[in-house]
Amino acid sequence: MMGIQRDRVRFNVGGKTFETTSTTLANAGRNSFFGALFDENWDLRPMNSNSELFIDRNPDCFAVILDLLRTGELYVPPNVPEKLLCREAQFYGVLDHVRAAKWGQFDGNRLRLSRSIMGPAPGDGTAIRAGPDGGCCVAHGSMVHVYDWMMEEHPPLNLDYQRVNDAGWIDSESIVISACERLGTGDGGMGSFSSSTGEMRYKFQVSHENQIKSYTAGALTFSTDYKIFSSCKGRSNEYGVGVWDQITGKQIDFFYESPGWSLGDADKLQWLNGYNCLLVATLFPRKDNCYISLLDFREKNMVWSWSDIGTPITFDEKRVRDAIALEGSSSICVVNEYEDLGFMDLRSAAGSVRWSSRSRLMNGKLLDEPCYPKLALHDGQLFSSMSDCISVFSGPDCVLTSRLRRSYGGSICDFSIGGDRLFALHSEENVFDIWETLPTSAL
Amino acid sequence: MSNPQKKRNFQIEAFKHKVVVDPKYADKTWKILEHAIHEIYNHNASGLSFEELYRNAYNMVLHKFGEKLYSGLVTTMTAHLKDISKSIEDAQGGLFLEELNRKWNDHNKALQMIRDILMYMDRTFIQSTRKTPVHELGLILWRDNVIYSSKIRSRLLDTLLELVLRERTGEVINRGLMRNIIKMLMDLGSSVYQEEFEQPFLEVSAEFYKGESQKFIECCDCGEYLKKAERRLNEEMERVTHYLDAKSEAKITNVVEKEMIANHMLALVHMENSGLVNMLLDDKYEDLGRMYNLFRRVPNGLSTVRDVMTSHIREIGKQLVTDPERLKDPVEFVQRLLDEKDKYDKIISSAFNNDKTFQNALNSSFEYFINLNARSPEFISLFVDDKLRKGLKGVSEEDVEVILDKVMMLFRYLQEKDVFEKYYKQHLAKRLLSGKTVSDDAERSLIVKLKTECGYQFTSKLEGMFTDMKTSQDTMQGFYASHPELGEGPTLTVQVLTTGSWPTQPSVTCNLPAEMSALCEKFRSYYLGTHTGRRLSWQTNMGTADIKATFGKGQKHELNVSTYQMCVLMLFNNSDRLSYKEIEQATEIPASDLKRCLQSLACVKGKNVLRKEPMSKDIGEDDAFFVNDKFTSKFYKVKIGTVVAQKESEPEKQETRQRVEEDRKPQIEAAIVRIMKSRRVLDHNNIITEVTKQLQSRFLANPTEIKKRIESLIERDFLERDNVDRKLYRYLA
């Protein structure tokens, strides 16, 4: 019993008294307000039953946080605004605990709509990108709006106010955006920004034969060995895929496009770690035909390629609208405007699309402003957006297992998965949805 | 992105900035925090409220004074570190390191507390502005203001190196303090550790060991030197575990290895009276093991040891096999080889870690010198003969195997295995026929070993000899069963030998005594009666006989003699005196055999059943022989040996050699035909190479002989020369 006596701690938080134990508070970890408070360096005088520690903070939030430390679960009463809670959690250094208690490990079949965020920007959204720790950024015209995981908006980004083509997170603190060039000014191209302050860190340059050239940067992707890839369109022959170092910001490589392969116009890039290759897809309607290839940068050769040139245009025309490589099954998955999935084998050189027999006709009415389907991959689950819903396919045979739908904001023009969240951007209204998996510890 | 939109955004930002209440707020708050930092460094923190300080730091960041807070921290901490640096500089002599260590501990504790207060800044402001986090900042400032201070930097290095030197010279130093200081350098980053300590430490160590090794090499013998080097190496490794970075171990041992071993490798190995050769001669396992383990650590170390060992073994072996004294006793000769092999096997297993490359070197050395003496195959066979005749009596089965395995090992070194086979066959024949073999199991075991080593072909004739022995037994039983009347009179035992399986010697049948030739005739008709189409010829030079003799005073003895001796002795049943000529005429034994036979009957002391006139060691053509009536012996049975040179006589040797050469011819031809059959066309040099390779397991084929065989095959239309390229041969099917 002596132990328990000594273990007990009494707080006065903003005038309200709380009693707990140092054991409970130890759950916050050494790297928190409580961890430091109880460190022996800070000579916390032994308390008698009447003495208490005063903390000049909000008592209601303290109650929620104390409960979180006691149980590992987050229960926020209606009178406590979430923003306030997060602020207090950040004060105590337990924001990570709150985040972990709010949503669990991502599972496409157990998603629930958490909230929808209205954006201030006019016009259609171009892209939405999930950040590594729950935040996201949305590209609208020439601006990129940045949100942290609490959906607190940070200063927006722009690259000389040029039209943004793509954006991506290098880490939770850095975002890269790619934009169109403005003729003859050297504006546009690609830049890296601080996600919290919005200031630009680097402007990435492309040089050809030691001459710095202005360019339009298109699709972006990153590799695990700190490289940035982007499709580039220059003035004359400078079309292809550029490679930069994430740390130094310097250009380290360039894959010039071979005639007829439209690499500089690519809609999608994907780095394949197992193949040490980059997937490049240039698709209809940006070009009249679809081109998909795998580039090996070491040898500067195209190790695999496919295009639909010469394919007879049949009655039910099936044009590839997005492509994604499934490294595990050595195949490329493609989708057409009717949301039929097709597969190509990466191991055979002359591939043809094997359309899935599961092909479904469009059900329901066609929305006023249809959007082309997009594909994403997460942890073995395949996601495909179509109209105003997202289909989830699971297992090695890609079986349709779930469908996410929300009837507000029109069709989905882009979506992205990251930080254990799925973000879906709608085209008609400037709104995006956040889908989360319930935390497993929650009741 | 329209203009009004943009404006609105900016206005909101601008408005927020103006919200700040008290213009002096930031300064006031910073004063509180600055004071706290002072108190922490002055060990006066007990009066501070963590909650208040944390809140103040939080508020500064919240109100956008992160930059002020951060730069204030840098200034304040720098000032404190400058004071600390001063007090360390002032520390006298030996107290310097202790003061440095104490201040380092203080700083670390202070840094932890400051970081606690500024935790919120660390998490938010520093992250978003990508500044150096507080803890790292504290280390960098310590490095720049304390360690890099001009009055500390070189003093610290000198002190550390001095302590290492003192420890090397046997003093006891405060290792705990040393460890703390080194740990500090490591905490400041691996480059700080390397530049401020490791690099100079390695240089100084190299210098130290260069001097020491020079001293040692002048006054120590090799064994002592190696002991010292080993001890130094262990000391350095110990030093690393006690107070250096584990990554330094490879670097410092490298220095010791280079200075103490690599640079003196040849001097050590060849050191007079104590170098490698002396160690080998004296079986200094411990020193050899030490040398192996130390030399293994440096490039080319082991190959140096191996080369010296190889040339030593070759030298010793060459002396052994070419020493005319040694050639007198083949058994001793082979025993010496085996002893030498045992000696080096033991050295390699106990000192050289059973290193495969050393084993190979040993084998190739033996192969080299054993074949220097053309008589090695004969001697090895004689050694086996000796062992199987008597050497193995009373030896356990396992030990027999051990000896046979050793013989096989020597056999493997032989290039002329067919010569060995020839001798082995002769010796085996003698053993079998004289019934002298000690153990049938041992004989068979060796044949199995030869078979696994050289194949069926090699041993089929040897096995045939055993079969003959067995069949002869049965034949004799059958003979006596069909001739029951032969119970009385002399007993005949015949061994029927298959021609070809046995080493045939040109034999002249001598005249057998009448009793015996009658018996032989009976056997001949019995044998040819049961086996049609065979021919029997008597090898009287190979048989033995037991005869009963009664001497002058009635002493009775049973004499065990050879067939020739029996023929001679039987003549004395009818006369007391016989001249050499008379004996030669009566028996028709070849002169050389007869002389040896008479010598053994008349000239060997204690066995001289005959008496000779005149008395002399050698037999002359005019000598006369008498029964020695005075012959006495303690034993009833007396074995009278034949005076034989155990080794071959010179003509015999040449004959064996010739037979070997003769036997090689068909083998070489067979090999040529086999090769040409598969290759169809081949040039001269390639044939020579391939034939040599194919026959390697039996003998080393002589290129001239191969050439002769090719020519013979061309003559017999097996091969032809190419019309254009005369060096090319074609196979004719």
Side-chain angles (χ1 to χ4, degrees), chain B residues 30 66-76 121 125 131:
Chain B
W30 166 242
E67 193 61 55
K68 183 180 174 68
L69 182 58
Y70 191 83
S71 63
L73 169 70
V74 173
T75 316
T76 312
M121 176 182 81
F125 173 75
K131 287 188 187 303

Side-chain angles (χ1 to χ4, degrees), chain A residues 30-33 36-37 41-42 45 54-57 90-91 93 142 161 171 173-174 196 201, chain B residues 1 5-6 40 46 50-51 54-55 58 109 112-113 115-117 119-120 123-124 127-128 130:
Chain A
R30 174 63 184 85
N31 218 352
S32 69
F33 175 86
L37 183 67
N41 278 341
W42 296 100
R45 252 151 270 169
F54 179 72
I55 305 177
D56 187 11
R57 302 299 300 184
Q90 193 155 31
F91 172 83
S142 59
Y161 293 106
D171 55 49
E173 276 299 321
S174 322
S196 44
R201 294 219 178 92
Chain B
M1 205 182 23
Q5 197 96 33
K6 224 179 355 180
I40 288 169
S46 57
F50 171 73
E51 188 273 338
Y54 186 95
R55 179 158 35 86
Y58 169 84
K109 191 174 165 188
Q112 175 67 48
M113 291 175 81
R115 190 170 159 258
D116 283 346
I117 297 172
M119 195 183 282
Y120 188 76
R123 274 179 191 283
T124 54
Q127 288 249 323
S128 62
R130 302 216 152 181

Side-chain angles (χ1 to χ4, degrees), chain A residues 59-292:
Chain A
D60 295 340
C61 288
F62 187 84
V64 176
I65 289 168
L66 187 58
D67 192 52
L68 172 66
L69 292 177
R70 281 174 180 146
T71 61
E73 290 172 17
L74 185 67
Y75 180 75
V76 190
N79 65 325
V80 175
E82 193 162 323
K83 216 163 162 173
L84 188 66
L85 176 73
C86 290
R87 193 190 65 198
E88 291 301 297
Q90 193 155 31
F91 172 83
Y92 294 112
V94 293
L95 199 57
D96 289 347
H97 291 67
V98 172
R99 211 188 72 173
K102 271 181 78 71
W103 71 88
Q105 204 187 355
F106 190 83
D107 177 355
N109 293 316
R110 288 172 52 226
L111 293 176
R112 48 145 203 189
L113 181 66
S114 158
R115 55 197 284 205
S116 297
I117 306 288
M118 290 285 289
D124 291 350
T126 313
I128 189 162
R129 294 288 175 258
D133 56 4
C136 72
C137 64
V138 187
H140 269 282
S142 59
M143 298 281 273
V144 175
H145 296 272
V146 183
Y147 299 83
D148 63 24
W149 70 268
M150 295 165 280
M151 290 303 122
E152 197 74 4
E153 197 178 343
H154 289 249
L157 321 174
N158 74 78
L159 193 57
D160 309 316
Y161 293 106
Q162 292 308 299
R163 188 183 158 70
V164 175
N165 287 321
D166 200 356
W169 296 75
I170 289 180
D171 55 49
S172 59
E173 276 299 321
S174 322
I175 295 175
V176 172
I177 65 180
S178 62
C180 297
E181 70 169 327
R182 199 169 74 206
L183 289 175
T185 58
D187 289 348
M190 223 167 80
S192 147
F193 296 81
S194 159
S195 62
S196 44
T197 64
E199 61 186 318
M200 181 155 85
R201 294 219 178 92
Y202 304 117
K203 177 113 185 246
F204 298 95
Q205 292 182 316
V206 170
S207 54
H208 297 281
E209 287 156 357
N210 293 323
Q211 292 248 298
I212 292 172
K213 303 283 177 96
S214 70
Y215 64 104
T216 288
L220 285 170
T221 196
F222 311 121
S223 70
T224 46
D225 57 347
Y226 307 106
K227 285 180 192 154
I228 302 172
F229 297 86
S230 173
S231 54
C232 295
K233 274 198 293 188
R235 269 292 98 86
S236 46
N237 292 324
E238 303 112 32
Y239 282 65
V241 178
V243 188
W244 292 265
D245 187 302
Q246 288 179 8
I247 297 167
T248 63
K250 298 275 175 290
Q251 186 193 345
I252 47 179
D253 208 349
F254 200 89
F255 195 114
Y256 290 93
E257 91 181 27
S258 37
W261 275 93
S262 303
L263 298 178
D265 282 311
D267 291 278
K268 177 138 185 171
L269 302 182
Q270 185 189 356
W271 176 253
L272 308 183
N273 230 356
Y275 287 81
N276 213 341
C277 280
L278 186 74
L279 173 124
V280 183
T282 311
L283 306 160
F284 185 82
R286 198 185 292 269
K287 289 277 163 185
D288 289 343
N289 286 97
C290 301
Y291 307 90
I292 302 174

